[in-house]
């Protein structure tokens, strides 16, 4: 016999509020991808989400806060998915290759989110984010990048990689390489060939990088 969950009026209001907030974020995410940060207004977000402008301000103080929440939520969710990589069995090389495949696949499936992330990384100074918003975004982004350094450290500890590696510089170089290759091909060329092209280029780039760390 199917059991029905009865929500109290307070629980229903809370759920409705959360659903409304998520619909606003979803609409804003699409707009930021289609038009870019600068061209999107709160009025446009309200129209896309089919709510009043006043309703937007019940949940968010500004367009900047909406943008920030999209990226922070994505970063937190992404961290849950990748934090296990540093604990995986296998060589550091194998784990780095697995991490890279996962990273590419995630953004192939979420290419609008990739555009938003790159906009923040390249043009954050033009977004009028508060110091707190900027700090939160950088912190959650760094949490995800740190997974790379943990894999590199595992390689050093096992003797697979040379111990003189500057881990911080290496993690940033690897992360930059991944984003650079994705940026080159994710929106260009035949759609059915993009995934294959990105994965092949990333694998080649990582192979060269890893060979240098083993020298």
């Amino acid at each position: 016999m199917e059991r029905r969950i009865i929500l109290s009026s307070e629980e229903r209001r809370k759920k409705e509020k959360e659903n409304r907030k998520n619909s606003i974020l979803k609409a804003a995410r699409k707009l930021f991808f289609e038009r870019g940060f600068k061209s999107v207004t709160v009025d446009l977000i309200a129209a896309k989400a089919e709510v009043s402008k006043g309703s937007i301000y019940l949940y968010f103080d500004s367009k900047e806060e909406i943008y920030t929440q999209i990226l922070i939520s994505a970063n937190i969710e992404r961290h849950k998915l990748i934090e296990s990589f540093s604990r995986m069995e296998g060589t550091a090389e194998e784990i780095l290759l697995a991490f890279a495949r996962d990273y590419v696949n995630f953004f192939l499936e979420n290419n609008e989110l990739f555009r938003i992330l790159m906009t923040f990384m390249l043009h954050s100074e033009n977004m009028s984010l508060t110091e707190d918003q900027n700090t939160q975004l950088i912190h959650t982004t760094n949490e995800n990048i740190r997974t790379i350094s943990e894999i590199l450290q595992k390689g050093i500890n096992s003797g697979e990689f040379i111990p003189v590696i500057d881990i911080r510089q290496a993690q940033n170089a690897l992360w930059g390489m991944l984003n650079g290759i994705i940026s080159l091909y994710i929106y260009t060329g035949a759609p059915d060939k993009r995934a294959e092209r990105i994965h092949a280029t990333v694998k080649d780039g990582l192979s060269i990088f890893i060979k240098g760390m083993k020298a």
Side-chain angles (χ1 to χ4, degrees), residues 27-196:
R29 176 170 154 167
K30 294 291 289 183
L31 285 169
F32 286 134
F33 171 68
E34 293 166 358
R35 303 185 181 216
F37 176 82
K38 204 168 184 180
S39 299
V40 174
T41 64
V42 173
D43 289 296
L44 283 172
I45 295 172
K48 184 77 171 177
E50 300 182 339
V51 299
S52 69
K53 185 176 180 179
S55 294
I56 298 286
Y57 288 114
L58 290 175
Y59 302 96
F60 305 99
D61 291 332
S62 64
K63 176 181 78 170
E64 286 78 11
E65 184 181 355
I66 295 172
Y67 190 93
T68 302
Q69 285 302 314
I70 290 170
L71 280 180
I72 289 174
S73 297
N75 280 341
I76 291 171
E77 190 59 34
R78 179 74 188 139
H79 186 66
K80 292 177 183 176
L81 297 173
I82 65 172
E83 61 181 344
S84 63
F85 273 95
S86 61
R87 301 190 297 270
M88 283 176 60
E89 294 294 326
T91 65
E93 177 177 357
E94 291 168 341
I95 298 169
L96 276 177
L97 289 168
F99 175 90
R101 284 194 300 271
D102 181 82
Y103 190 87
V104 168
N105 285 333
F106 177 79
F107 283 116
L108 284 170
E109 295 170 7
N110 299 275
N111 58 12
E112 66 187 61
L113 181 61
F114 182 77
R115 177 79 64 86
I116 293 170
L117 174 64
M118 289 300 102
T119 298
F120 165 70
M121 297 304 298
L122 296 173
H123 305 291
S124 59
E125 70 281 358
N126 299 322
M127 292 181 180
S128 301
L129 301 181
T130 67
E131 184 176 346
D132 183 58
Q133 289 167 349
N134 195 60
T135 299
Q136 286 186 69
L137 276 178
I138 291 174
H139 172 73
T140 54
T141 300
N142 285 342
E143 282 292 296
N144 289 340
I145 302 174
R146 192 172 294 117
T147 299
I148 298 175
S149 69
E150 292 170 353
I151 300 171
L152 295 176
Q153 186 63 59
K154 182 173 184 175
I156 292 173
N157 293 344
S158 68
E160 185 180 351
F161 298 152
I162 55 177
V164 293
I165 294 171
D166 185 320
I167 290 182
R168 185 177 178 82
Q169 287 185 355
Q171 76 167 18
N172 290 340
L174 280 169
W175 189 66
M177 183 190 74
L178 290 173
N179 291 327
I181 292 171
I182 294 172
S183 296
L184 281 174
Y185 302 121
I186 195 169
Y187 304 113
T188 61
D192 60 332
K193 297 291 185 181
R194 288 174 188 168
E196 180 182 350

Side-chain angles (χ1 to χ4, degrees), residues 189-202:
D192 60 332
K193 297 291 185 181
R194 288 174 188 168
E196 180 182 350
R197 193 175 189 184
I198 292 172
H199 278 297
T201 308
V202 165

